[in-house]
Amino acid sequence: MRRQSMREYVEKTLHTRVDCEPVDASRLPLYLRGLYSLERWTAFGVPFAVASPVESLTVKTLAKHRDALEAALGTPVSFALEGATGYRVGRMLEAGLPFIAPDKQVYLPFLGIALSSGRSHARDRRQTDVGTFSPQAQRLALMALYGDLDGASVTQAAGLLGTAKMTASRAFDELAAADPSIVAAEGRRRVLRPGRDKMEMWRHLEPRMSSPVAREHRLGRVPDAELPLGGLSALCGLSMLQDDPWPTFAATKAQERTLELAADARDAGLDEPEDPACVVQVLRYEPVPAPGCAVDPLSAILSLPADERDDPRVAGEIENVLTRVLGGDHEGNR
């Protein structure tokens, strides 16, 4: 019954019927048998397997199992996450692992790829937004928006991201699902073709982007470290917006550990005053290099809460920053 309610949640979210059938687990490697309850689902004519862990497994373990499951079953694999916390959902997105978390999120990037390449039986349907970018896909999208990257291959992208080639390849998949014109096949290689109109590209990709902030710490002291400005503080340096009474800084997860800001290493009663000396935002991905001691402008914009971005005055200043960063003279940017 639980699996049925999960399927109903996906049907409601994607506005399509989902068919299911049992999976023969005998094809799985011995070490995987008994670890997952499996079903084969079909949505928009695209078959994929839904794997429900029998017991709690770490995200790192799921990532290792995903490739073996896909190889054995011959289809993409999504993990069913019953009662997932927001932290676990964030970790799954960070790892680029497809998942279904009832009442939280459906992240099935392979459906978007199939729809955009015309393999779906529902070609007359509106293309379904199946989720947000993983952190590395978002970082690659930002790099393409800032830099040329025209003709960059998967291997070159992996070098820029500092990740494995497989991770970069999945980032290409996600970009292609959002806007098929960005990724082109040239022989046996896939390359980025972002085009000259970066504002138009931003309009296509921004709906798939999420806040780069994994969590934030309100501190009663300013850390003894050189941290770049983040969030509103970074944006104020590029606009007429007024900063909060305290500065906002950005930190990587490695810096969070070094500064002992992690939840298990800090005294929440002392570190989170109502009127902080500063706020430190921990980012989901390595910041894209930007001039000056601040995070890049697009990440700063994305880090603002939706209600702040919708404020007419803030929205106007954001538009000015976007025009300055992405250009406003090309046709289609006006």
Side-chain angles (χ1 to χ4, degrees):
M1 179 62 69
R2 240 187 299 177
R3 189 69 65 85
Q4 180 179 347
S5 63
M6 181 173 291
R7 191 171 73 252
E8 290 172 351
Y9 167 68
V10 172
E11 288 179 332
K12 181 179 179 180
T13 302
L14 302 185
H15 305 288
T16 189
R17 176 178 173 176
V18 176
D19 298 316
C20 73
E21 58 184 347
V23 169
D24 181 7
S26 65
R27 290 181 293 170
L28 296 181
L30 288 175
Y31 74 94
L32 288 179
R33 297 180 190 177
L35 293 181
Y36 297 94
S37 172
L38 296 166
E39 283 186 350
R40 186 183 302 275
W41 290 12
T42 302
F44 298 108
V46 180
F48 60 99
V50 175
S52 299
V54 174
E55 58 186 39
S56 180
L57 298 174
T58 67
V59 173
K60 187 175 181 179
T61 299
L62 295 177
K64 291 180 179 179
H65 290 177
R66 191 265 293 269
D67 292 338
L69 287 168
E70 290 186 343
L73 300 175
T75 64
V77 169
S78 172
F79 294 100
L81 304 180
E82 288 283 355
T85 63
Y87 174 76
R88 188 168 179 82
V89 166
R91 289 293 308 280
M92 293 291 286
L93 287 170
E94 182 178 350
L97 294 176
F99 66 87
I100 301 165
D103 300 322
K104 282 190 173 63
Q105 189 167 346
V106 176
Y107 178 59
L108 304 172
F110 48 80
L111 285 186
I113 297 165
L115 290 171
S116 65
S117 59
R119 291 195 296 270
S120 169
H121 295 325
R123 294 181 183 179
D124 57 339
R125 290 182 179 270
R126 174 180 60 84
Q127 181 168 327
T128 302
D129 185 357
V130 295
T132 56
F133 285 141
S134 65
Q136 293 304 331
Q138 182 159 318
R139 188 164 178 254
L140 183 61
L142 293 175
M143 288 180 174
L145 284 162
Y146 287 122
D148 192 357
L149 289 196
D150 188 43
S153 66
V154 172
T155 301
Q156 291 169 325
L160 290 170
L161 293 171
T163 63
K165 187 175 177 180
M166 182 177 293
T167 300
S169 179
R170 288 171 182 157
F172 269 56
D173 291 343
E174 294 181 52
L175 293 184
D179 186 350
S181 67
I182 295 176
V183 177
E186 297 185 357
R188 298 178 62 183
R189 299 193 319 156
R190 288 191 300 167
V191 298
L192 292 175
R193 295 296 181 195
R196 294 185 60 204
D197 194 335
K198 298 301 175 61
M199 185 70 83
E200 181 183 11
M201 180 179 169
W202 166 260
R203 302 298 185 206
H204 276 111
L205 300 184
E206 190 268 339
R208 298 264 187 149
M209 294 185 176
S210 60
S211 171
V213 180
R215 53 192 163 272
E216 65 178 31
H217 304 289
R218 299 168 65 87
L219 305 180
R221 55 181 173 78
V222 176
D224 185 18
E226 292 187 5
L227 298 177
L229 293 175
L232 182 60
S233 294
L235 201 56
C236 285
L238 299 169
S239 67
M240 301 296 291
L241 294 175
Q242 183 176 358
D243 201 356
D244 290 324
W246 50 83
T248 297
F249 298 104
T252 64
K253 294 180 179 179
Q255 289 171 323
E256 178 189 36
R257 290 191 295 271
T258 299
L259 296 171
E260 298 184 340
L261 300 179
D264 60 352
R266 59 188 173 87
D267 184 335
L270 295 177
D271 281 350
E272 297 199 356
E274 291 185 6
D275 296 317
C278 72
V279 171
V280 176
Q281 295 181 334
V282 182
L283 304 186
R284 299 182 187 278
Y285 50 78
E286 290 286 330
V288 178
C293 189
V295 300
D296 68 279
L298 298 182
S299 290
I301 290 171
L302 292 168
S303 70
L304 296 183
D307 57 342
E308 288 187 24
R309 292 175 64 182
D310 289 340
D311 180 273
R313 184 178 61 87
V314 176
E317 290 296 329
I318 287 176
E319 196 65 28
N320 291 335
V321 172
L322 288 174
T323 300
R324 193 182 321 160
V325 172
L326 302 177
D329 295 328
H330 293 307
E331 183 178 352
N333 284 356
R334 296 172 183 169

